[in-house]
Amino acid sequence: MDKILEILKSIRSDVDFENEVVKINHTIHYRRTEGEKEKKFFITSPKTAKSNREIPMTSEVKKLFKMQKQYQKDMRIRQDIAIDGYKGFVFTTKLGTPYTHEAITRTLDCVVKRANEWEAKRALEENREPVVIPEGLQIGSKVTYEPE
């Protein structure tokens, strides 16, 4: 899950199509800082030197990155929003701002709920126990599936 979050917060220059990698070299935060009333975005370096790395990009992921770029262009989503000198975010809201941790969590919770509802219906139709995904997962949770 952590890799997904890192990629969701990447900028265009992090995506290297030629070498087929996504560079991870910054972390985006959205919260209140000391003395501030409003939450705001800010960028820091990863916690450890080991966190600066490159994640291999499959051909399917490469295709999806290109589709996302075209989607932003077609939808006229702003690409000029800068946070601490970084701009050109790959995955953004309709306003051009990066997704927050909270928004990603809410979306994943909704997906898990719908998937579990679908699985429960299928299991009932097939006269078996449903295989459900735990709800309320925290970003970074490890989920394993062990068949019985």
Side-chain angles (χ1 to χ4, degrees), residues 7-67:
I7 289 173
L8 285 174
K9 297 178 179 184
S10 59
I11 59 174
R12 298 248 175 260
S13 61
D14 295 333
V15 182
D16 183 345
F17 289 113
E18 187 174 316
N19 295 307
E20 298 182 331
V21 294
V22 179
K23 299 170 188 168
I24 305 300
N25 55 27
H26 63 272
T27 304
I28 300 176
H29 306 275
Y30 181 72
R31 63 176 166 242
R32 234 176 253 101
T33 56
E34 194 173 324
E36 297 287 329
K37 291 183 180 182
E38 301 287 324
K39 288 183 177 183
K40 69 175 192 169
F41 285 102
F42 61 95
I43 295 180
T44 61
S45 298
K47 292 178 188 174
T48 65
K50 190 177 178 181
S51 296
N52 278 309
R53 63 195 186 288
E54 295 180 347
I55 299 173
M57 184 182 352
T58 64
S59 58
E60 183 66 22
V61 169
K62 188 176 184 178
K63 179 181 170 185
L64 292 170
F65 270 118
K66 289 180 178 183
M67 287 172 58

Side-chain angles (χ1 to χ4, degrees), residues 133-134 137 140-145:
I133 303 167
L137 292 175
S141 296
K142 303 276 189 248
V143 177
T144 57
Y145 172 73

Side-chain angles (χ1 to χ4, degrees), residues 10-13 68-69 71-73 76-83 86-98:
S10 59
I11 59 174
R12 298 248 175 260
S13 61
Q68 177 65 14
K69 184 176 183 178
Y71 169 79
Q72 286 179 315
K73 184 178 178 183
R76 296 188 175 121
I77 295 174
R78 292 180 58 182
Q79 286 293 295
D80 62 336
I81 293 177
I83 300 169
Y86 289 80
K87 64 181 180 178
F89 296 95
V90 176
F91 299 97
T92 63
T93 65
K94 292 176 184 175
L95 301 175
T97 58

